[in-house]
């Protein structure tokens, strides 16, 4: 049975990933700060194991990795993320910037560093980082959103660097822009529903090979500029 570990699993894109992987017969480790309280997660059929996890807490991440030490993982999806203050030039909240970086940039690398041994035991050896086109330097033509943009640009650099460091070990590490999705972060006026975003990303994930290592994709499989 293939196994996936998903962060930010209790709502939005993360929950849709959990639901569809479980429906397809995967063992799913669903991680979220309040996973044990999520009625939606507990109501899912299939082999879903919920874990209470704050991805910014290094001790908790290390503890979960030790707990799962005998369970190979094929796919890690670093989905947990926050937007932070929606401010423009001259309004930057520097303390909040640090908090956003902790979740969006530092935590995905921490997850890979702690779970790399379990991923190496799995057959998939795949890491998916949920980024954003707003982190694309080449695609930035509107300005603003310094905090969120910089955190996702930094995550893209983490993805690219991991692809270099882990490529020789047979890993495939990629970033995804999930689209502008109707979630708590994206809002009701966003372009697509989580079901469409996840269906697109899962189709791309299913076709990934080591030749795709270090790439940045739109949810529909279109390559994006860094």
């Amino acid at each position: 049975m293939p196994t996936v570990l998903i962060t930010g699993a209790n709502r939005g894109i993360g929950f849709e990933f959990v639901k569809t992987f479980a429906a397809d017969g995967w063992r799913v480790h669903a991680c979220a700060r309040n996973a044990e309280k999520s009625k939606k997660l507990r109501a899912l059929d299939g082999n879903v194991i919920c874990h209470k996890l704050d991805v910014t807490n290094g001790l908790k991440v290390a503890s979960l990795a030790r707990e799962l030490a005998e369970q190979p993982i094929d796919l890690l999806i670093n989905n947990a993320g926050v937007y932070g203050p929606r401010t423009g030039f001259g309004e930057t909240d520097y303390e909040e910037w640090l908090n956003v970086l902790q979740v969006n940039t530092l935590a995905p690398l921490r997850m890979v560093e702690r779970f790399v041994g379990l991923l190496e035991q799995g057959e998939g050896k795949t890491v998916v980082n949920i980024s954003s086109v707003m982190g694309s330097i080449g695609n930035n033509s509107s300005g603003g959103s310094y905090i969120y943009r910089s955190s996702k640009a930094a995550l893209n650099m983490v993805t690219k660097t991991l692809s270099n460091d882990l490529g020789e070990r047979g890993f495939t590490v990629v970033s995804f822009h999930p689209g502008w999705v109707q979630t708590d972060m994206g809002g009701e006026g966003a372009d697509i529903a989580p079901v469409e975003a996840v269906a697109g990303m899962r189709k791309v994930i299913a076709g990934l090979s080591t030749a795709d290592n270090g790439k940045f994709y739109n949810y529909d499989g279109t390559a994006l500029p860094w």
Side-chain angles (χ1 to χ4, degrees), residues 22-40:
D24 288 344
W26 286 58
R27 178 184 293 109
V28 181
H29 293 288
C31 303
R33 286 181 299 174
N34 298 305
E36 79 288 357
K37 297 179 180 179
S38 174
K39 294 180 180 179
K40 293 196 303 181

Side-chain angles (χ1 to χ4, degrees), residues 22 34 58 72 147 150 168 185 194 198:
N34 298 305
I147 291 175
S150 64
E168 292 184 357
M185 184 186 298
V198 169

Side-chain angles (χ1 to χ4, degrees), residues 90-121:
E91 305 171 321
T92 304
D93 186 328
Y94 289 90
E95 291 299 320
E96 279 302 307
W97 197 345
L98 294 175
N99 292 332
V100 172
L101 287 170
Q102 284 281 349
V103 178
N104 291 358
T105 309
L106 276 64
L109 179 58
R110 177 183 290 115
M111 291 294 295
V112 177
E113 288 184 331
R114 293 293 177 264
F115 287 90
V116 66
L118 300 184
L119 285 160
E120 203 151 33
Q121 294 175 34

Side-chain angles (χ1 to χ4, degrees), residues 93-168:
D93 186 328
Y94 289 90
E95 291 299 320
E96 279 302 307
W97 197 345
L98 294 175
N99 292 332
V100 172
L101 287 170
Q102 284 281 349
V103 178
N104 291 358
T105 309
L106 276 64
L109 179 58
R110 177 183 290 115
M111 291 294 295
V112 177
E113 288 184 331
R114 293 293 177 264
F115 287 90
V116 66
L118 300 184
L119 285 160
E120 203 151 33
Q121 294 175 34
E123 295 183 5
K125 295 183 177 63
T126 302
V127 176
V128 167
N129 293 325
I130 303 302
S131 183
S132 171
V133 72
M134 291 184 71
S136 168
I137 294 173
N139 201 45
N140 183 0
S141 60
S142 61
S145 300
Y146 290 90
I147 291 175
Y148 185 71
R149 285 185 184 279
S150 64
S151 72
K152 291 301 188 179
L155 175 60
N156 285 347
M157 181 58 80
V158 167
T159 295
K160 189 63 177 178
T161 305
L162 282 171
S163 73
N164 292 327
D165 287 342
L166 300 180
E168 292 184 357

Side-chain angles (χ1 to χ4, degrees), residues 1-222:
M1 177 185 296
T3 300
V4 58
L5 189 152
I6 302 165
T7 65
N10 61 326
R11 59 184 180 177
I13 293 169
F15 179 75
E16 187 66 24
F17 269 127
V18 173
K19 184 172 65 174
T20 59
F21 274 111
D24 288 344
W26 286 58
R27 178 184 293 109
V28 181
H29 293 288
C31 303
R33 286 181 299 174
N34 298 305
E36 79 288 357
K37 297 179 180 179
S38 174
K39 294 180 180 179
K40 293 196 303 181
L41 282 176
R42 295 202 309 269
L44 289 177
D45 295 326
N47 198 350
V48 178
I49 306 99
C50 296
H51 302 281
K52 178 180 175 64
L53 181 66
D54 179 349
V55 293
T56 68
N57 188 321
L59 292 177
K60 297 296 184 182
V61 172
S63 176
L64 179 60
R66 288 194 298 270
E67 179 185 333
L68 301 180
E70 302 302 321
Q71 302 182 44
I73 295 172
D74 297 286
L75 170 62
L76 168 63
I77 301 179
N78 284 311
N79 169 71
V82 294
Y83 196 95
R86 297 174 185 268
T87 54
F89 177 75
E91 305 171 321
T92 304
D93 186 328
Y94 289 90
E95 291 299 320
E96 279 302 307
W97 197 345
L98 294 175
N99 292 332
V100 172
L101 287 170
Q102 284 281 349
V103 178
N104 291 358
T105 309
L106 276 64
L109 179 58
R110 177 183 290 115
M111 291 294 295
V112 177
E113 288 184 331
R114 293 293 177 264
F115 287 90
V116 66
L118 300 184
L119 285 160
E120 203 151 33
Q121 294 175 34
E123 295 183 5
K125 295 183 177 63
T126 302
V127 176
V128 167
N129 293 325
I130 303 302
S131 183
S132 171
V133 72
M134 291 184 71
S136 168
I137 294 173
N139 201 45
N140 183 0
S141 60
S142 61
S145 300
Y146 290 90
I147 291 175
Y148 185 71
R149 285 185 184 279
S150 64
S151 72
K152 291 301 188 179
L155 175 60
N156 285 347
M157 181 58 80
V158 167
T159 295
K160 189 63 177 178
T161 305
L162 282 171
S163 73
N164 292 327
D165 287 342
L166 300 180
E168 292 184 357
R169 295 160 67 173
F171 278 75
T172 301
V173 186
V174 299
S175 279
F176 269 102
H177 169 56
W180 184 20
V181 187
Q182 296 158 6
T183 62
D184 290 347
M185 184 186 298
E188 295 181 357
D191 291 335
I192 60 174
V195 62
E196 182 178 351
V198 169
M201 287 187 286
R202 285 206 55 196
K203 183 177 180 180
V204 179
I205 291 169
L208 289 175
S209 71
T210 53
D212 302 298
N213 187 35
K215 294 185 178 179
F216 183 18
Y217 289 110
N218 192 38
Y219 75 97
D220 63 2
T222 305

